[in-house]
Amino acid sequence: MKKILSILLIIFWISCEKTNPNKLGKIASSFKENGNKIIEKSISDSSGFNRLAELCDTFGPRFSGSKNLEKALVWIMEEMQKDGLENVRAEEVMVPKWVRGAESAQMISPWKKNLAMLGLGGSIGTGKNGITADVIVVSNFDELTNRSNEVNGKIVLYNVPFESYGKTVQYRVRGAIEAAKYGAVASLVRSVGPFSMNTPHTGNSSYEKGIKKIPHAAITLEDAAMIGRIIANGQKVQINLNMEARTDPDVISHNVIGEIIGSDFPEQIIVMGGHIDSWDVGQGAMDDGGGCVAAWQALKVLKELNIRPKRTIRVVLWTNEENGLRGGNAYRDKYINELNNHILAIESDAGVFKPTGFGFTGPEESLKVLQDIGTLLKPIGSGIITKGGGGADIGPIMREGVPGMGLSVKGEKYFWYHHTSADTWDKLDRTEFNQCVASMAVMAYVVADMEIRLPR
Ligand SMILES: [Zn+2]
Protein backbone atom coordinates (compact mmCIF):
# COMPACT_ATOMS: atom_id res chain seq x y z
CA MET A 1 0.00 0.00 0.00
CA LYS A 2 2.78 2.38 1.03
CA LYS A 3 4.62 1.60 -2.17
CA ILE A 4 1.56 2.28 -4.32
CA LEU A 5 0.99 5.55 -2.50
CA SER A 6 4.54 6.71 -3.06
CA ILE A 7 4.37 5.77 -6.75
CA LEU A 8 1.13 7.75 -7.06
CA LEU A 9 2.82 10.68 -5.34
CA ILE A 10 5.71 10.57 -7.80
CA ILE A 11 3.32 10.45 -10.76
CA PHE A 12 1.41 13.39 -9.30
CA TRP A 13 4.65 15.32 -8.81
CA ILE A 14 5.84 14.62 -12.35
CA SER A 15 2.51 15.69 -13.85
CA CYS A 16 2.64 18.89 -11.78
CA GLU A 17 6.12 19.59 -13.16
CA LYS A 18 4.81 19.01 -16.66
CA THR A 19 1.77 21.23 -16.26
CA ASN A 20 3.94 23.93 -14.76
CA PRO A 21 6.85 24.29 -17.17
CA ASN A 22 7.61 27.78 -15.90
CA LYS A 23 8.26 26.58 -12.37
CA LEU A 24 11.30 28.40 -11.03
CA GLY A 25 14.29 26.77 -9.39
CA LYS A 26 15.11 27.40 -5.76
CA ILE A 27 17.72 30.05 -6.42
CA ALA A 28 15.79 31.49 -9.33
CA SER A 29 12.68 32.12 -7.17
CA SER A 30 14.46 34.72 -5.10
CA PHE A 31 15.48 36.57 -8.27
CA LYS A 32 12.12 36.44 -9.98
CA GLU A 33 11.36 40.15 -9.75
CA ASN A 34 14.71 41.44 -10.98
CA GLY A 35 14.98 38.61 -13.50
CA ASN A 36 11.70 39.64 -15.11
CA LYS A 37 12.66 43.30 -15.02
CA ILE A 38 15.94 42.54 -16.80
CA ILE A 39 14.20 40.44 -19.45
CA GLU A 40 11.53 43.08 -20.05
CA LYS A 41 14.03 45.89 -20.35
CA SER A 42 16.39 43.89 -22.61
CA ILE A 43 13.57 42.91 -24.95
CA SER A 44 12.01 46.34 -25.22
CA ASP A 45 15.22 48.36 -25.54
CA SER A 46 16.87 48.12 -28.95
CA SER A 47 19.68 50.58 -28.24
CA GLY A 48 22.19 47.72 -28.26
CA PHE A 49 21.04 46.40 -31.60
CA ASN A 50 21.20 49.89 -33.10
CA ARG A 51 24.61 50.42 -31.56
CA LEU A 52 25.84 47.25 -33.27
CA ALA A 53 24.77 48.79 -36.60
CA GLU A 54 26.63 51.98 -35.74
CA LEU A 55 29.76 50.02 -34.84
CA CYS A 56 29.59 48.01 -38.07
CA ASP A 57 28.76 50.93 -40.37
CA THR A 58 31.10 53.52 -38.86
CA PHE A 59 34.28 51.49 -38.65
CA GLY A 60 33.90 48.57 -41.06
CA PRO A 61 35.60 45.25 -40.45
CA ARG A 62 37.91 45.22 -37.44
CA PHE A 63 40.91 43.16 -38.41
CA SER A 64 43.84 42.82 -36.01
CA GLY A 65 46.46 45.40 -36.75
CA SER A 66 44.03 47.68 -38.62
CA LYS A 67 43.17 51.32 -37.91
CA ASN A 68 39.48 50.36 -38.15
CA LEU A 69 39.83 48.17 -35.07
CA GLU A 70 41.69 50.70 -32.94
CA LYS A 71 39.30 53.52 -33.92
CA ALA A 72 36.36 51.28 -33.01
CA LEU A 73 37.94 50.55 -29.62
CA VAL A 74 38.31 54.27 -28.82
CA TRP A 75 34.66 54.83 -29.74
CA ILE A 76 33.53 51.83 -27.65
CA MET A 77 35.32 53.19 -24.58
CA GLU A 78 33.73 56.62 -25.03
CA GLU A 79 30.31 55.01 -25.34
CA MET A 80 30.89 52.75 -22.34
CA GLN A 81 31.77 55.83 -20.30
CA LYS A 82 28.58 57.55 -21.47
CA ASP A 83 26.68 54.47 -20.30
CA GLY A 84 28.14 54.95 -16.84
CA LEU A 85 30.08 51.70 -16.85
CA GLU A 86 32.87 51.63 -14.28
CA ASN A 87 36.64 51.10 -14.61
CA VAL A 88 36.44 51.52 -18.39
CA ARG A 89 39.90 50.84 -19.72
CA ALA A 90 42.02 49.47 -22.54
CA GLU A 91 44.83 46.99 -21.95
CA GLU A 92 47.66 46.72 -24.45
CA VAL A 93 48.14 43.52 -26.42
CA MET A 94 50.71 42.93 -29.18
CA VAL A 95 48.96 41.39 -32.17
CA PRO A 96 50.07 39.96 -35.51
CA LYS A 97 49.50 42.03 -38.62
CA TRP A 98 48.67 40.08 -41.75
CA VAL A 99 47.96 42.14 -44.85
CA ARG A 100 45.83 40.65 -47.62
CA GLY A 101 46.79 42.98 -50.46
CA ALA A 102 45.34 42.56 -53.94
CA GLU A 103 44.42 39.02 -54.88
CA SER A 104 42.70 37.09 -57.64
CA ALA A 105 42.29 33.61 -59.05
CA GLN A 106 41.38 32.67 -62.57
CA MET A 107 40.66 29.32 -64.16
CA ILE A 108 42.48 29.56 -67.48
CA SER A 109 41.66 26.15 -68.92
CA PRO A 110 39.49 24.38 -70.03
CA TRP A 111 37.78 27.79 -70.21
CA LYS A 112 38.29 31.20 -68.66
CA LYS A 113 36.54 32.05 -65.42
CA ASN A 114 37.35 34.49 -62.65
CA LEU A 115 37.06 32.61 -59.39
CA ALA A 116 35.73 34.43 -56.33
CA MET A 117 38.43 33.82 -53.74
CA LEU A 118 39.86 34.93 -50.41
CA GLY A 119 43.43 34.38 -49.31
CA LEU A 120 43.63 32.62 -45.95
CA GLY A 121 45.01 34.43 -42.92
CA GLY A 122 48.74 34.04 -42.51
CA SER A 123 49.31 32.97 -46.10
CA ILE A 124 52.32 34.16 -48.04
CA GLY A 125 51.86 35.84 -51.43
CA THR A 126 52.51 34.36 -54.83
CA GLY A 127 55.08 36.86 -56.05
CA LYS A 128 54.50 39.40 -58.83
CA ASN A 129 53.94 36.94 -61.66
CA GLY A 130 51.53 34.80 -59.75
CA ILE A 131 51.41 31.02 -59.90
CA THR A 132 50.01 29.13 -62.87
CA ALA A 133 49.67 25.37 -62.54
CA ASP A 134 47.49 22.35 -63.13
CA VAL A 135 45.06 21.44 -60.38
CA ILE A 136 44.83 18.14 -58.52
CA VAL A 137 41.57 17.68 -56.63
CA VAL A 138 41.42 15.60 -53.45
CA SER A 139 38.52 15.00 -51.09
CA ASN A 140 40.56 14.44 -47.93
CA PHE A 141 44.09 14.15 -46.55
CA ASP A 142 44.15 10.36 -47.06
CA GLU A 143 43.56 10.79 -50.76
CA LEU A 144 46.33 13.39 -50.86
CA THR A 145 48.72 10.90 -49.26
CA ASN A 146 47.64 8.07 -51.57
CA ARG A 147 48.19 10.24 -54.63
CA SER A 148 51.29 12.01 -53.33
CA ASN A 149 53.32 11.15 -56.45
CA GLU A 150 50.92 13.26 -58.58
CA VAL A 151 51.19 16.42 -56.46
CA ASN A 152 54.58 17.88 -57.37
CA GLY A 153 54.33 21.24 -59.18
CA LYS A 154 50.54 21.34 -58.93
CA ILE A 155 47.93 23.38 -57.09
CA VAL A 156 46.11 21.10 -54.65
CA LEU A 157 42.38 21.75 -54.31
CA TYR A 158 40.69 20.28 -51.23
CA ASN A 159 37.13 19.78 -52.45
CA VAL A 160 35.72 18.74 -49.08
CA PRO A 161 31.97 19.07 -48.41
CA PHE A 162 31.05 20.72 -45.11
CA GLU A 163 30.35 18.24 -42.32
CA SER A 164 30.79 20.42 -39.26
CA TYR A 165 33.03 23.41 -38.70
CA GLY A 166 35.24 21.45 -36.31
CA LYS A 167 35.71 18.63 -38.81
CA THR A 168 36.05 20.51 -42.07
CA VAL A 169 38.15 23.43 -40.90
CA GLN A 170 41.29 21.25 -40.74
CA TYR A 171 41.69 21.60 -44.53
CA ARG A 172 41.77 25.38 -44.16
CA VAL A 173 44.15 25.26 -41.20
CA ARG A 174 46.56 22.52 -42.34
CA GLY A 175 45.95 22.40 -46.09
CA ALA A 176 49.09 24.27 -47.13
CA ILE A 177 51.31 22.21 -44.84
CA GLU A 178 50.10 18.84 -46.12
CA ALA A 179 50.14 19.90 -49.79
CA ALA A 180 53.65 21.38 -49.53
CA LYS A 181 55.00 18.10 -48.14
CA TYR A 182 54.53 16.56 -51.59
CA GLY A 183 55.76 19.52 -53.63
CA ALA A 184 52.54 21.44 -54.36
CA VAL A 185 53.11 25.06 -55.47
CA ALA A 186 49.91 26.37 -53.87
CA SER A 187 46.77 25.05 -52.20
CA LEU A 188 43.09 25.94 -52.37
CA VAL A 189 40.21 24.91 -50.14
CA ARG A 190 36.53 24.69 -50.84
CA SER A 191 35.22 27.36 -48.44
CA VAL A 192 34.25 26.01 -45.03
CA GLY A 193 30.47 26.42 -44.98
CA PRO A 194 27.30 24.43 -45.74
CA PHE A 195 25.73 26.90 -48.18
CA SER A 196 27.00 29.49 -50.62
CA MET A 197 25.86 32.27 -52.90
CA ASN A 198 29.28 32.40 -54.50
CA THR A 199 30.73 33.60 -51.20
CA PRO A 200 34.30 32.60 -50.37
CA HIS A 201 35.13 32.25 -46.64
CA THR A 202 38.44 33.37 -45.23
CA GLY A 203 39.89 32.21 -41.89
CA ASN A 204 43.20 31.41 -40.33
CA SER A 205 45.74 28.91 -41.61
CA SER A 206 49.11 27.72 -40.48
CA TYR A 207 52.55 26.69 -41.64
CA GLU A 208 54.92 24.28 -39.98
CA LYS A 209 58.59 24.74 -39.26
CA GLY A 210 60.72 22.87 -41.77
CA ILE A 211 57.94 22.60 -44.37
CA LYS A 212 57.97 24.99 -47.32
CA LYS A 213 55.41 27.79 -47.15
CA ILE A 214 53.07 27.89 -50.15
CA PRO A 215 50.19 30.32 -50.85
CA HIS A 216 46.85 29.11 -49.47
CA ALA A 217 43.42 30.47 -50.40
CA ALA A 218 39.71 29.64 -50.36
CA ILE A 219 37.46 29.46 -53.41
CA THR A 220 33.70 29.08 -53.36
CA LEU A 221 31.73 25.91 -52.81
CA GLU A 222 30.29 26.30 -56.34
CA ASP A 223 33.65 26.64 -58.09
CA ALA A 224 35.36 23.91 -56.08
CA ALA A 225 32.56 21.48 -56.86
CA MET A 226 32.61 22.44 -60.54
CA ILE A 227 36.38 22.01 -60.85
CA GLY A 228 35.96 18.65 -59.15
CA ARG A 229 33.41 17.62 -61.78
CA ILE A 230 35.49 18.87 -64.72
CA ILE A 231 38.51 16.87 -63.58
CA ALA A 232 36.41 13.80 -62.81
CA ASN A 233 35.23 14.01 -66.42
CA GLY A 234 38.81 13.68 -67.59
CA GLN A 235 39.65 17.28 -68.47
CA LYS A 236 42.62 19.21 -67.11
CA VAL A 237 42.10 22.38 -65.11
CA GLN A 238 44.71 25.09 -64.94
CA ILE A 239 44.51 28.01 -62.51
CA ASN A 240 46.39 31.27 -62.22
CA LEU A 241 46.66 32.56 -58.65
CA ASN A 242 47.82 36.05 -57.67
CA MET A 243 48.20 37.11 -54.04
CA GLU A 244 50.10 40.04 -52.52
CA ALA A 245 49.58 38.72 -48.98
CA ARG A 246 52.32 39.40 -46.44
CA THR A 247 52.93 39.47 -42.70
CA ASP A 248 54.21 42.70 -41.13
CA PRO A 249 55.74 43.02 -37.66
CA ASP A 250 53.39 42.83 -34.64
CA VAL A 251 51.54 46.00 -33.63
CA ILE A 252 49.75 47.22 -30.51
CA SER A 253 46.06 46.49 -30.05
CA HIS A 254 43.88 46.43 -26.93
CA ASN A 255 41.41 44.45 -24.88
CA VAL A 256 38.65 46.82 -23.80
CA ILE A 257 36.99 46.44 -20.40
CA GLY A 258 34.00 47.94 -18.60
CA GLU A 259 32.50 46.89 -15.26
CA ILE A 260 29.81 47.17 -12.66
CA ILE A 261 31.71 46.85 -9.41
CA GLY A 262 30.24 44.45 -6.87
CA SER A 263 28.77 45.90 -3.69
CA ASP A 264 29.91 43.16 -1.28
CA PHE A 265 32.67 41.19 -3.00
CA PRO A 266 34.18 43.53 -5.59
CA GLU A 267 37.21 41.28 -5.96
CA GLN A 268 35.04 38.39 -7.16
CA ILE A 269 34.58 38.63 -10.91
CA ILE A 270 32.05 37.33 -13.41
CA VAL A 271 33.76 37.97 -16.73
CA MET A 272 31.65 38.16 -19.86
CA GLY A 273 32.23 39.12 -23.48
CA GLY A 274 33.31 38.23 -26.98
CA HIS A 275 36.08 39.13 -29.42
CA ILE A 276 36.00 42.57 -30.94
CA ASP A 277 38.37 41.82 -33.80
CA SER A 278 36.94 40.33 -36.98
CA TRP A 279 38.19 39.23 -40.37
CA ASP A 280 38.96 41.94 -42.89
CA VAL A 281 35.86 41.35 -45.02
CA GLY A 282 32.19 42.08 -44.31
CA GLN A 283 31.49 43.81 -41.00
CA GLY A 284 32.12 41.12 -38.42
CA ALA A 285 28.52 41.72 -37.34
CA MET A 286 27.88 38.19 -36.10
CA ASP A 287 31.53 37.17 -35.66
CA ASP A 288 31.76 38.66 -33.18
CA GLY A 289 30.55 42.24 -33.03
CA GLY A 290 27.14 40.91 -31.99
CA GLY A 291 28.52 38.91 -29.07
CA CYS A 292 30.54 41.89 -27.88
CA VAL A 293 27.71 44.40 -28.05
CA ALA A 294 25.26 41.92 -26.46
CA ALA A 295 27.54 41.46 -23.43
CA TRP A 296 28.10 45.21 -23.21
CA GLN A 297 24.36 45.90 -23.55
CA ALA A 298 23.66 43.37 -20.78
CA LEU A 299 25.77 45.49 -18.45
CA LYS A 300 24.07 48.69 -19.66
CA VAL A 301 20.66 47.18 -18.90
CA LEU A 302 21.72 46.38 -15.32
CA LYS A 303 23.14 49.86 -14.94
CA GLU A 304 19.96 51.52 -16.18
CA LEU A 305 17.84 49.38 -13.87
CA ASN A 306 20.08 50.46 -11.00
CA ILE A 307 20.95 46.88 -10.20
CA ARG A 308 24.30 46.46 -8.48
CA PRO A 309 25.06 42.82 -7.67
CA LYS A 310 27.24 41.65 -4.79
CA ARG A 311 30.07 40.61 -7.12
CA THR A 312 31.69 42.48 -10.00
CA ILE A 313 30.52 41.89 -13.56
CA ARG A 314 33.32 42.65 -15.98
CA VAL A 315 32.72 42.87 -19.70
CA VAL A 316 35.83 42.18 -21.75
CA LEU A 317 36.03 42.70 -25.50
CA TRP A 318 39.03 40.62 -26.43
CA THR A 319 41.24 41.50 -29.37
CA ASN A 320 42.78 39.20 -31.99
CA GLU A 321 40.79 36.00 -31.52
CA GLU A 322 40.68 35.35 -35.25
CA ASN A 323 44.34 35.14 -36.14
CA GLY A 324 46.23 34.80 -32.90
CA LEU A 325 44.11 34.61 -29.73
CA ARG A 326 46.54 37.13 -28.29
CA GLY A 327 43.80 39.02 -26.42
CA GLY A 328 42.56 35.96 -24.52
CA ASN A 329 46.11 34.91 -23.71
CA ALA A 330 47.12 38.41 -22.57
CA TYR A 331 44.06 38.60 -20.31
CA ARG A 332 45.06 35.32 -18.65
CA ASP A 333 48.64 36.50 -18.16
CA LYS A 334 47.62 39.87 -16.73
CA TYR A 335 45.12 38.44 -14.25
CA ILE A 336 46.83 35.14 -13.50
CA ASN A 337 46.99 35.93 -9.76
CA GLU A 338 43.32 36.89 -9.63
CA LEU A 339 41.89 33.92 -11.47
CA ASN A 340 41.01 32.21 -8.18
CA ASN A 341 38.45 34.96 -7.78
CA HIS A 342 37.11 34.64 -11.31
CA ILE A 343 33.80 32.98 -10.48
CA LEU A 344 32.55 32.37 -14.01
CA ALA A 345 33.50 33.30 -17.58
CA ILE A 346 30.75 33.72 -20.20
CA GLU A 347 31.38 34.13 -23.92
CA SER A 348 29.10 34.77 -26.86
CA ASP A 349 30.83 33.84 -30.12
CA ALA A 350 28.42 31.67 -32.07
CA GLY A 351 26.34 34.47 -33.56
CA VAL A 352 23.53 36.41 -31.91
CA PHE A 353 20.68 34.29 -33.25
CA LYS A 354 17.72 32.90 -31.26
CA PRO A 355 19.30 31.87 -27.95
CA THR A 356 18.46 28.51 -26.42
CA GLY A 357 20.59 28.65 -23.28
CA PHE A 358 24.22 28.07 -22.42
CA GLY A 359 26.78 25.29 -22.62
CA PHE A 360 28.77 25.00 -19.39
CA THR A 361 32.14 23.51 -18.51
CA GLY A 362 32.74 23.10 -14.78
CA PRO A 363 31.76 20.93 -11.82
CA GLU A 364 28.45 19.06 -11.75
CA GLU A 365 27.19 20.93 -8.67
CA SER A 366 27.71 24.24 -10.48
CA LEU A 367 25.87 22.93 -13.52
CA LYS A 368 22.88 22.27 -11.23
CA VAL A 369 23.05 25.81 -9.85
CA LEU A 370 23.16 27.27 -13.36
CA GLN A 371 20.26 25.07 -14.49
CA ASP A 372 18.31 26.43 -11.55
CA ILE A 373 19.11 30.00 -12.66
CA GLY A 374 18.20 29.01 -16.22
CA THR A 375 14.56 28.56 -15.18
CA LEU A 376 14.33 32.37 -15.09
CA LEU A 377 14.96 32.37 -18.85
CA LYS A 378 12.16 29.94 -19.74
CA PRO A 379 9.78 32.74 -20.79
CA ILE A 380 12.15 33.61 -23.66
CA GLY A 381 13.16 30.01 -24.36
CA SER A 382 16.81 30.36 -23.45
CA GLY A 383 16.96 28.46 -20.20
CA ILE A 384 18.56 25.19 -21.23
CA ILE A 385 22.00 24.73 -19.68
CA THR A 386 23.88 21.83 -21.21
CA LYS A 387 27.14 20.16 -20.32
CA GLY A 388 30.21 21.32 -22.23
CA GLY A 389 30.79 24.78 -23.63
CA GLY A 390 32.91 27.86 -23.47
CA GLY A 391 34.62 30.06 -26.02
CA ALA A 392 37.98 30.67 -27.65
CA ASP A 393 38.74 33.87 -25.73
CA ILE A 394 37.86 32.45 -22.31
CA GLY A 395 39.68 29.20 -23.16
CA PRO A 396 42.99 30.36 -21.66
CA ILE A 397 41.43 31.19 -18.26
CA MET A 398 39.23 28.09 -18.35
CA ARG A 399 42.39 26.02 -18.69
CA GLU A 400 43.52 27.69 -15.44
CA GLY A 401 40.41 26.39 -13.69
CA VAL A 402 37.82 29.13 -14.23
CA PRO A 403 34.38 27.62 -14.96
CA GLY A 404 33.20 28.78 -18.37
CA MET A 405 30.10 28.93 -20.49
CA GLY A 406 29.14 29.88 -24.01
CA LEU A 407 25.82 31.30 -25.16
CA SER A 408 24.01 28.65 -27.23
CA VAL A 409 22.00 29.85 -30.22
CA LYS A 410 20.05 28.36 -33.09
CA GLY A 411 23.01 28.71 -35.36
CA GLU A 412 22.02 26.79 -38.50
CA LYS A 413 22.80 29.83 -40.64
CA TYR A 414 25.90 31.02 -38.83
CA PHE A 415 28.30 29.23 -41.17
CA TRP A 416 26.54 30.60 -44.22
CA TYR A 417 28.06 33.97 -43.34
CA HIS A 418 31.04 33.16 -41.13
CA HIS A 419 34.24 34.92 -42.30
CA THR A 420 32.62 36.21 -45.51
CA SER A 421 31.70 39.58 -47.00
CA ALA A 422 28.11 38.69 -46.08
CA ASP A 423 28.66 38.83 -42.32
CA THR A 424 26.76 42.10 -42.05
CA TRP A 425 24.26 43.60 -39.62
CA ASP A 426 21.24 43.27 -41.91
CA LYS A 427 21.33 39.47 -41.49
CA LEU A 428 20.56 39.78 -37.78
CA ASP A 429 17.19 39.92 -36.07
CA ARG A 430 16.36 42.55 -33.47
CA THR A 431 14.28 40.28 -31.24
CA GLU A 432 16.81 37.46 -31.31
CA PHE A 433 19.63 39.86 -30.48
CA ASN A 434 17.65 41.35 -27.60
CA GLN A 435 16.96 37.85 -26.26
CA CYS A 436 20.72 37.19 -26.29
CA VAL A 437 21.19 40.35 -24.24
CA ALA A 438 18.50 39.25 -21.78
CA SER A 439 20.01 35.78 -21.40
CA MET A 440 23.50 37.05 -20.70
CA ALA A 441 22.27 39.80 -18.37
CA VAL A 442 20.13 37.45 -16.25
CA MET A 443 22.80 34.75 -16.04
CA ALA A 444 25.64 37.13 -15.14
CA TYR A 445 23.49 39.04 -12.68
CA VAL A 446 22.24 36.06 -10.68
CA VAL A 447 25.67 34.40 -10.49
CA ALA A 448 27.06 37.76 -9.35
CA ASP A 449 24.36 38.34 -6.76
CA MET A 450 23.42 34.94 -5.32
CA GLU A 451 24.24 34.02 -1.70
CA ILE A 452 26.49 31.13 -2.59
CA ARG A 453 29.70 31.43 -4.54
CA LEU A 454 29.52 29.24 -7.65
CA PRO A 455 31.57 26.12 -6.81
CA ARG A 456 34.59 25.22 -8.94
ZN1 LIG B 1 34.39 34.47 -33.55
Side-chain angles (χ1 to χ4, degrees), residues 277-306:
D277 68 305
S278 73
W279 278 99
D280 56 336
V281 294
Q283 296 183 323
M286 50 188 96
D287 188 14
D288 182 25
C292 288
V293 178
W296 166 14
Q297 180 72 7
L299 215 53
K300 179 171 173 249
V301 164
L302 296 178
K303 191 82 201 170
E304 286 178 4
L305 289 173
N306 250 320

Side-chain angles (χ1 to χ4, degrees), residues 121-402:
S123 176
I124 60 165
T126 56
K128 261 199 185 126
N129 301 324
I131 289 172
T132 302
D134 285 348
V135 176
I136 173 172
V137 178
V138 297
S139 48
N140 52 50
F141 285 139
D142 285 341
E143 187 183 351
L144 179 75
T145 310
N146 292 338
R147 299 175 59 195
S148 57
N149 58 344
E150 301 169 52
V151 173
N152 195 38
K154 298 216 174 94
I155 295 174
V156 169
L157 167 59
Y158 297 94
N159 182 26
V160 186
F162 183 83
E163 265 187 88
S164 68
Y165 187 66
K167 266 200 165 163
T168 313
V169 77
Q170 57 175 323
Y171 297 95
R172 190 192 79 206
V173 176
R174 290 194 56 83
I177 299 169
E178 299 303 327
K181 280 181 186 169
Y182 307 118
V185 290
S187 49
L188 299 171
V189 288
R190 169 168 162 156
S191 285
V192 183
F195 174 78
S196 175
M197 303 236 320
N198 210 37
T199 31
H201 298 233
T202 190
N204 215 23
S205 64
S206 31
Y207 292 123
E208 214 166 83
K209 246 194 175 164
I211 297 172
K212 194 175 177 231
K213 293 181 180 180
I214 56 171
H216 191 38
I219 60 172
T220 65
L221 191 161
E222 292 93 333
D223 287 335
M226 178 193 71
I227 291 167
R229 292 193 301 272
I230 294 173
I231 289 178
N233 273 335
Q235 278 183 294
K236 271 191 174 179
V237 171
Q238 204 171 55
I239 283 178
N240 170 252
L241 184 66
N242 276 285
M243 293 167 64
E244 288 180 354
R246 63 170 204 271
T247 301
D248 285 353
D250 289 0
V251 294
I252 295 174
S253 183
H254 303 83
N255 289 335
V256 162
I257 297 179
E259 299 178 340
I260 291 180
I261 300 164
S263 59
D264 295 17
F265 312 108
E267 74 290 353
Q268 295 183 21
I269 314 280
I270 284 77
V271 64
M272 176 164 76
H275 64 86
I276 192 61
D277 68 305
S278 73
W279 278 99
D280 56 336
V281 294
Q283 296 183 323
M286 50 188 96
D287 188 14
D288 182 25
C292 288
V293 178
W296 166 14
Q297 180 72 7
L299 215 53
K300 179 171 173 249
V301 164
L302 296 178
K303 191 82 201 170
E304 286 178 4
L305 289 173
N306 250 320
I307 294 175
R308 183 178 296 279
K310 293 187 183 67
R311 302 178 183 82
T312 296
I313 303 179
R314 173 183 291 169
V315 163
V316 185
L317 310 185
W318 285 279
T319 191
N320 186 232
E321 186 271 344
E322 295 293 2
N323 60 334
L325 202 66
R326 301 272 186 92
N329 286 326
Y331 183 87
R332 174 203 54 209
D333 294 345
K334 187 169 174 81
Y335 294 97
I336 192 80
N337 294 323
E338 295 162 43
L339 293 182
N340 277 340
N341 265 331
H342 275 55
I343 306 298
L344 176 67
I346 307 173
E347 178 153 2
S348 165
D349 185 21
V352 279
F353 298 100
K354 169 91 190 85
T356 56
F358 295 87
F360 173 70
T361 302
E364 200 69 30
E365 47 180 332
S366 295
L367 177 67
K368 293 222 168 75
V369 170
L370 298 168
Q371 284 170 334
D372 180 315
I373 299 170
T375 58
L376 285 167
L377 293 168
K378 279 182 186 172
I380 55 168
S382 62
I384 299 165
I385 318 295
T386 52
K387 219 175 172 172
D393 301 279
I394 59 175
I397 61 172
M398 286 174 67
R399 285 189 279 280
E400 298 295 324
V402 179

Side-chain angles (χ1 to χ4, degrees), residues 417-439:
Y417 308 116
H418 185 251
H419 299 180
T420 73
S421 298
D423 178 357
T424 50
W425 181 81
D426 50 281
K427 309 297 187 313
L428 299 171
D429 179 87
R430 186 176 301 267
T431 306
E432 292 180 350
F433 175 87
N434 289 347
Q435 288 177 346
C436 290
V437 172
S439 308

